[in-house]
Amino acid sequence: MPAVGHTIAIYPGSFDPVTNGHLDLIERGTKIFQRLIVAVLRNADKDPLFTVAERVEMLRQVTQPWANVEVDVFDGLLVDYSRRRGAGVILRGIRAISDYEYELQMALMNRKLEPQLETVFMMPALKYSYLSARLVREIAQFGGPLDGLVPPVVEQKLRAKVT
Ligand code: ADP
């Protein structure tokens, strides 16, 4: 396997919508990996707030500053998608202990399916460690303040969506 600096990494998720926590992780990832593919999982949630196309559009806008970030969509098994894209690493975020159990289970299952593929966990800045897309959706639904939680363009889209 090539050194990390030459590795293509995939950062998979639902990104419904992208938050500043996701962006914190993306920025950290861009410094370590040659290329980072932010991959939106289609059909993960049967009742999403934003369509996949809307989520991709927002992700493209907010990841513009990083030349080595690509936004894509995938379905099916992550290991199959990783193989197709020639990626050696799955990047995931760990916020609190509560993320750990699910993430460990998924990482070990992916390793069983594809032993060559490594899962790398990164921690966001402390101020984002309580932030989730689900909480952002709930705050937006009730008209609460979103500053500091999502990029301005995402806040606009959230406000438009819930009014
Ligand atoms: P969420 O859990 O917010 O709905 P996703 O399902 O899109 O987000 O998660 C994609 C990845 O991003 C997961 O590895 C998740 O742990 C990570 N992640 C989500 N929010 C944060 C955050 N605030 N800080 C760090 N990682 C995060």
Side-chain angles (χ1 to χ4, degrees):
M1 177 158 146
V4 159
H6 301 287
T7 297
I8 298 173
I10 291 176
Y11 179 32
S14 36
F15 304 103
D16 185 28
V18 56
T19 69
N20 286 345
H22 295 130
L23 282 181
D24 178 285
L25 223 72
I26 289 170
E27 179 165 31
R28 290 173 201 281
T30 60
K31 293 181 184 149
I32 293 185
F33 303 107
Q34 183 185 43
R35 200 138 64 88
L36 186 63
I37 301 170
V38 180
V40 178
L41 175 58
R42 204 191 290 275
N43 299 335
D45 185 349
K46 285 179 190 70
D47 191 20
L49 182 60
F50 290 100
T51 65
V52 169
E54 287 172 324
R55 284 179 260 160
V56 166
E57 167 69 19
M58 283 186 276
L59 274 167
R60 291 217 167 111
Q61 284 182 32
V62 300
T63 57
Q64 245 167 17
W66 300 290
N68 60 342
V69 172
E70 174 192 332
V71 180
D72 194 13
V73 175
F74 79 104
D75 34 33
L77 285 179
L78 183 56
V79 291
D80 292 335
Y81 175 69
S82 307
R83 217 175 283 133
R84 279 205 305 279
R85 299 304 316 263
V89 164
I90 299 301
L91 175 64
R92 296 285 293 177
I94 296 265
R95 288 163 288 195
I97 306 284
S98 51
D99 278 338
Y100 179 75
E101 198 174 337
Y102 173 66
E103 292 291 341
L104 178 73
Q105 192 182 7
M106 209 156 54
L108 293 179
M109 182 54 81
N110 280 332
R111 178 178 285 167
K112 181 172 165 51
L113 296 173
E114 177 52 76
Q116 299 294 321
L117 189 64
E118 289 295 342
T119 300
V120 170
F121 295 112
M122 293 185 89
M123 276 78 68
L126 200 57
K127 63 181 172 187
Y128 299 131
S129 61
Y130 56 86
L131 180 55
S132 74
R134 184 181 58 81
L135 283 180
V136 161
R137 291 195 300 271
E138 280 178 21
I139 294 167
Q141 221 145 6
F142 298 111
L146 290 166
D147 31 303
L149 304 184
V150 292
V153 60
V154 175
E155 179 166 0
Q156 275 169 24
K157 294 260 161 65
L158 273 164
R159 300 276 179 231
K161 188 65 102 175
V162 299
T163 49

